[in-house]
């Protein structure tokens, strides 16, 4: 009974949970699929090709299921408008809510650790921006 409850939750997943875990899991899964694809091309081993094929199939199925879940979340989750006066476009509201949680987490850490941007700014977009923090990281 407990395993069935864990596998099939009755509650809808909160948008803040999806906003944190979804980019993390999806990004790491995409990187793993790409690494095994690269290794399969480099070493030409059947096991690596089959592993890459399996991960690619899982990723495609995950994308399909993710689309269904995002539709359910978009319908069931009450979202505030991204900007005052903007049209109530559901897709724009969903995109705003998905990036709101990581931004709030970053600004909270930036404030808590008393960080500041270093005086030397990068010369191009490829260089990282250096930050110095006083608190523990």
């Amino acid at each position: 009974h407990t395993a069935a409850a864990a596998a099939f939750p009755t509650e809808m997943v909160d948008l803040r949970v999806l906003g944190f875990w979804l980019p993390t899991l999806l990004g790491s899964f995409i990187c793993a699929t790409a690494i095994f694809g690269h290794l399969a091309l480099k070493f030409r081993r059947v096991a690596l090709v089959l592993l890459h094929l399996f991960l690619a199939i899982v990723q495609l199925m995950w994308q399909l299921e993710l689309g269904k879940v995002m539709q359910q979340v978009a319908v069931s989750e009450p979202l505030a408008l991204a900007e005052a006066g903007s049209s109530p476009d559901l897709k724009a509201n969903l995109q705003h809510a998905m990036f709101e949680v990581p931004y709030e987490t970053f600004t909270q850490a930036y404030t808590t650790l008393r960080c500041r941007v270093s005086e030397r700014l990068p010369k191009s977009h490829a260089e990282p921006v250096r930050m110095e923090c006083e608190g523990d990281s």
Side-chain angles (χ1 to χ4, degrees):
H1 180 67
T2 307
F8 303 108
T10 56
E11 296 180 4
M12 188 63 174
V13 178
D14 187 35
L15 190 59
R16 294 192 182 274
V17 173
L18 284 177
F20 174 75
W21 284 108
L22 189 67
T24 304
L25 292 175
L26 191 59
S28 61
F29 196 81
I30 288 171
C31 289
T33 305
I35 288 171
F36 283 116
H38 178 71
L39 291 174
L41 289 173
K42 185 176 182 179
F43 295 112
R44 298 184 186 268
R45 301 275 189 250
V46 174
L48 292 173
V49 172
L50 291 175
L51 182 59
H52 174 69
L53 181 66
F54 174 74
L55 290 176
I57 290 171
V58 169
Q59 186 175 354
L60 288 173
M61 295 306 294
W62 191 3
Q63 289 291 327
L64 289 172
E65 291 300 317
L66 178 64
K68 293 177 186 176
V69 169
M70 293 306 287
Q71 286 177 352
Q72 290 176 353
V73 169
V75 171
S76 67
E77 188 82 15
L79 300 174
L81 291 176
E83 297 178 15
S86 66
S87 64
D89 183 20
L90 190 57
K91 289 182 182 180
N93 290 338
L94 186 60
Q95 288 174 351
H96 173 74
M98 289 296 291
F99 291 102
E100 179 181 336
V101 174
Y103 175 76
E104 288 175 357
T105 305
F106 173 77
T107 55
Q108 181 182 11
Y110 186 86
T111 305
T112 304
L113 297 174
R114 297 183 300 275
C115 297
R116 59 183 160 78
V117 177
S118 69
E119 294 177 10
R120 188 178 97 49
L121 294 176
K123 296 179 182 175
S124 71
H125 293 292
E127 291 183 41
V129 175
R130 304 269 184 220
M131 291 181 13
E132 298 169 358
C133 299
E134 295 176 12
D136 295 331
S137 55

